[in-house]
Amino acid sequence: MRKLRADEIECRIGMAKADKGISLLLYKDARCDMAILDETFGPMNWQRHHSRDNANCVVAVWDKEKGAWVEKEDTGTGSMTEAEKGMASDSFKRACVNWGIGRELYTAPFIWIPLEKVDMVLGTNGKASTRDKFSVKSINYDEKTGDISELTIVNQKGTVVFSWRA
């Protein structure tokens, strides 16, 4: 399975500390998984089905040599906003990782954006957050291991807020 491109990787806040900054997590969404499955196997050569009230998802790929569907399965958890839909999406994304889609994201470095590079706000509940948006500008992978070897993240203004090289 090919590695994710920078434009296929999303960033979300993992932790926010009003006096220090934020950490970011890298992830992929279900649309990315579907596009890569279509690209790799063809839209008619993969399928998914859910069980246990969407907690489990099986992603099956047609294997011409075997003349059979090869399946990989995983389970997910519900989201804060739409629990059932979130569970279906999470289980699907996890099953796609079993196929190798986005597995390299597990090799990401700890991403810390210091206070001076982020516009922090305090919510009415007193919790720190930001309205800033972040995206992966560039990413490279080690040819031997497939691990992330370089990563650059920018904010919505295009300013580099994180740059890392292994």
Side-chain angles (χ1 to χ4, degrees):
M1 206 60 72
R2 72 165 174 79
K3 304 292 184 213
L4 297 178
R5 298 184 315 257
D7 65 326
E8 295 172 318
I9 302 170
E10 311 264 343
C11 299
R12 71 176 162 94
I13 297 173
M15 170 180 42
K17 296 199 176 231
D19 58 339
K20 295 187 179 170
I22 62 168
S23 68
L24 293 179
L25 304 172
L26 303 180
Y27 70 100
K28 61 183 175 68
D29 65 21
R31 288 177 296 280
C32 172
D33 290 321
M34 289 183 270
I36 291 174
L37 286 166
D38 284 351
E39 172 190 311
T40 305
F41 302 107
M44 303 303 287
N45 295 316
W46 70 272
Q47 59 184 332
R48 74 190 253 193
H49 45 267
H50 294 267
S51 62
R52 292 190 330 112
D53 296 324
N54 289 331
N56 281 40
C57 179
V58 173
V59 174
V61 172
W62 182 252
D63 185 323
K64 288 181 192 175
E65 290 179 21
K66 293 182 173 115
W69 289 97
V70 178
E71 299 180 338
K72 296 197 180 195
E73 179 176 10
D74 214 320
T75 192
T77 58
S79 68
M80 299 289 261
T81 52
E82 296 181 73
E84 194 172 312
K85 181 180 173 192
M87 189 178 298
S89 178
D90 190 48
S91 61
F92 174 63
K93 291 183 291 183
R94 288 172 176 265
C96 288
V97 169
N98 288 335
W99 280 103
I101 301 173
R103 195 177 292 161
E104 62 275 13
L105 295 181
Y106 291 116
T107 70
F110 179 69
I111 303 168
W112 183 256
I113 313 297
L115 188 59
E116 57 271 10
K117 292 185 177 183
V118 64
D119 184 20
M120 296 295 288
V121 295
L122 284 179
T124 55
N125 59 3
K127 289 190 176 186
S129 187
T130 182
R131 290 186 191 97
D132 289 352
K133 302 294 180 205
F134 303 94
S135 59
V136 176
K137 179 179 181 179
S138 64
I139 190 165
N140 288 304
Y141 303 99
D142 182 281
E143 288 183 26
K144 292 180 185 174
T145 66
D147 294 355
I148 296 172
S149 60
E150 293 180 58
L151 179 64
T152 303
I153 296 176
V154 295
N155 64 16
Q156 70 278 3
K157 297 173 187 171
T159 304
V160 173
V161 294
F162 181 84
S163 184
W164 175 85
R165 175 180 268 167

